[in-house]
Amino acid sequence: MGKLYLVPTPIGNLEDITLRAITVLKEVDLILAEDTRTSGKLIQHFEIKTPMHSHHMHNEHKTVDSIIKRLQNKETIALISDAGTPAISDPGFLLTRACVENNIEVECLPGATAFVPALVNSGLPNDRFVFEGFLPVKKGRQTRLEFLAEETRTMVFYESPHKLLKTLGQFGEYFGLDRPVSISRELTKLYEETIRGTISEVLEHYTQKPPKGEIVIIVSGKK
């Protein structure tokens, strides 16, 4: 049997990649990338010569079987996403599950992921938290928000900049406008910032200053 490596990649600052991750990417037989154009910049920067194939949410159901066959033929394969740790709101779960079902070894390297620094620097309780990632766009969204309105642990969400105001407005509706929240965007990048306050205060801030970049929302649980 071969082996699947799940390799985290930087979420912005290229210096956040680990030495071990570079070594693995150089030594495996194949790299599976969410977007080969995006990952190509990282691969080129670190002078990695390993062949790279596309593996993303639109083709992963079709490619899993062929990848499993390669692993069964003793190839070593690394899976990376555009940024952060694979399978955290990115492709990776289906392939990992298939490897487990076929007794193929899987190893996940430690490394970058956006929600950990956002949670830690939020100033909100982080001894216990729940990771929600992206909320459903339409179907099931209201039901999920109604359920989370009773959540007592700190909650972690991902959101795109053009949907942030709408999402914060819904948080205000379901959680209350006085609920503490922390918004981190562009983590590890040049214009990284974290805005903290109540949902009402943060809504006002981003109404006046429309957000840009990748966003992590940390919401205090119900008291």
Side-chain angles (χ1 to χ4, degrees), residues 71-84:
L71 289 163
Q72 289 173 330
N73 287 328
K74 301 182 179 180
E75 290 191 49
T76 55
I77 298 177
L79 174 65
I80 61 177
S81 62
D82 288 347

Side-chain angles (χ1 to χ4, degrees), residues 13-187:
N13 192 323
L14 292 182
E15 293 183 2
D16 289 335
I17 196 167
T18 67
L19 295 175
R20 183 179 172 208
I22 295 173
T23 298
V24 168
L25 293 176
K26 286 183 176 181
E27 293 182 350
V28 293
D29 298 306
L30 175 68
I31 297 173
L32 299 174
E34 186 178 1
D35 186 327
T36 54
R37 293 166 300 180
T38 299
S39 296
K41 300 173 185 177
L42 177 77
I43 298 304
Q44 183 177 13
H45 180 81
F46 289 105
E47 300 181 347
I48 297 168
K49 308 299 182 182
T50 307
M52 185 166 50
H53 288 179
S54 177
H55 181 80
H56 49 73
M57 62 180 295
H58 301 295
N59 74 355
E60 58 179 337
H61 288 85
K62 299 177 181 179
T63 59
V64 164
D65 289 343
S66 62
I67 296 169
I68 292 297
K69 289 180 181 178
R70 297 186 67 157
L71 289 163
Q72 289 173 330
N73 287 328
K74 301 182 179 180
E75 290 191 49
T76 55
I77 298 177
L79 174 65
I80 61 177
S81 62
D82 288 347
T85 300
I88 303 295
S89 295
D90 284 319
F93 165 69
L94 290 178
L95 181 56
T96 299
R97 181 177 63 180
C99 287
V100 172
E101 292 172 346
N102 287 275
N103 296 313
I104 296 170
E105 186 177 358
V106 179
E107 183 173 350
C108 182
L109 277 62
T113 188
F115 80 83
V116 173
L119 174 63
V120 173
N121 74 20
S122 70
L124 297 173
N126 54 38
D127 53 335
R128 294 182 181 180
F129 62 92
V130 55
F131 176 76
E132 286 292 317
F134 289 98
L135 285 167
V137 177
K138 293 182 180 179
K139 186 178 179 180
R141 188 179 181 93
Q142 180 179 342
T143 301
R144 193 65 193 162
L145 287 169
E146 289 174 347
F147 174 80
L148 291 172
E150 301 302 317
E151 177 60 65
T152 58
R153 295 168 293 181
T154 299
M155 296 172 281
V156 182
F157 302 89
Y158 286 163
E159 191 52 279
S160 59
H162 67 279
K163 293 180 180 179
L164 179 61
L165 291 178
K166 177 183 176 181
T167 297
L168 287 175
Q170 291 176 326
F171 285 175
E173 179 183 350
Y174 287 93
F175 304 156
L177 288 169
D178 60 345
R179 183 76 67 92
V181 64
S182 175
I183 309 290
S184 290
R185 68 176 191 87
E186 294 290 84
L187 286 165

